Amino acid sequence: MTEARLQQLNGDSGPTITVFERSPDGGKGLARDMRVRWALEEVGQPYDVRPVSFAAMKQPAHRTLQPFGQIPTYEEGDLALFETGAIVFHIVDRHNGLLPLDATARARAINWMFAALSTIEPTIVDREVVLYLERDQNWFEQRLTLVEDRIRARLTDLSNRLGNADWLDGRFSAGDLMTADVLRRLGGSGLLEEYPNLAAYVARAEARPAFRRAFTAQREFFNAAAEP
């Protein structure tokens, strides 16, 4: 049983994150709360979840926490955060385990967190937008090709940097957590498999016990929400 579930049963105090009441990813762990769950599991921090419907996400009560009407949010005492990068940084900054103690190595790990969100993920999200919103357009195939070529350019650079290493900069860090989770969004596209070292990198990250606990927690939540 996950620490999150134990907290729900025992009433232990801890941060609360908001999640989709019914996640559109079908329980695949692709919603951005997965990154927060994973970070909390890595540092051994119990947490609770509060489901939010699509309608409630756009209401004033939720927008006071997340002004853009999205998930996740993070609440702990009088602190409320939004944006997964800021939330994960807050977690790893307060708890040992995902940032090196050496100041220089720590800065490099944070650098990779920003790179994952600012350089790698936007091109991947562009592909999702094309697939979901532009499929019926007569220029769909050309647009998809252009977007996937941009993704390949990012993956080529990342693959070259990773090389034969297990992780991006020595030991597994928050930079690897964010990068691997961003790359997971390419599942089923075939793009990641074009870079065997990156595919193996993601597989190593997904094999971590903390990831498995986080994935199981969100999957169980999705299945429970889907029950009639």
Side-chain angles (χ1 to χ4, degrees), residues 11 19 38 49 51 123-125 128 152 201 208-209 212:
V19 301
W38 186 3
V49 298
T123 58
I124 296 175
V125 173
E128 295 171 1
R152 287 187 178 95
Y201 170 76
R208 293 180 64 83
R212 300 312 308 169

Side-chain angles (χ1 to χ4, degrees), residues 131-148:
L131 290 172
Y132 294 141
L133 301 180
E134 302 176 15
R135 187 178 292 276
D136 295 334
Q137 303 298 323
N138 57 13
W139 34 259
F140 166 74
E141 293 293 344
Q142 182 180 12
R143 171 97 162 103
L144 182 62
T145 297
L146 291 173
V147 170
E148 290 188 341

Side-chain angles (χ1 to χ4, degrees), residues 15-38:
T16 297
I17 62 173
T18 50
V19 301
F20 286 123
E21 185 177 76
R22 290 181 178 268
S23 180
D25 70 358
K28 296 178 182 178
L30 298 178
R32 288 183 173 88
D33 64 276
M34 181 65 189
R35 301 167 189 179
V36 179
R37 291 176 182 267
W38 186 3

Side-chain angles (χ1 to χ4, degrees), residues 32-58:
R32 288 183 173 88
D33 64 276
M34 181 65 189
R35 301 167 189 179
V36 179
R37 291 176 182 267
W38 186 3
L40 288 164
E41 293 285 358
E42 287 280 358
V43 301
Q45 172 63 54
Y47 63 98
D48 201 357
V49 298
R50 185 174 71 251
V52 182
S53 69
F54 286 104
M57 286 166 57
K58 306 305 179 184

Side-chain angles (χ1 to χ4, degrees), residues 2 44 58 60 74 88 93 134 144 150 156 165 172 181 219 224:
T2 65
K58 306 305 179 184
Y74 175 102
V88 171
D93 188 50
E134 302 176 15
L144 182 62
R150 287 201 295 271
T156 297
F172 180 85
D181 198 61
R219 182 73 177 185

Side-chain angles (χ1 to χ4, degrees), residues 65-92:
L65 299 174
Q66 220 298 355
F68 305 106
Q70 300 172 321
I71 62 98
T73 60
Y74 175 102
E75 297 171 78
E76 188 175 22
D78 60 358
L79 174 67
L81 298 173
F82 62 95
E83 293 296 330
T84 54
I87 295 170
V88 171
F89 178 76
H90 174 73
I91 293 167
V92 302

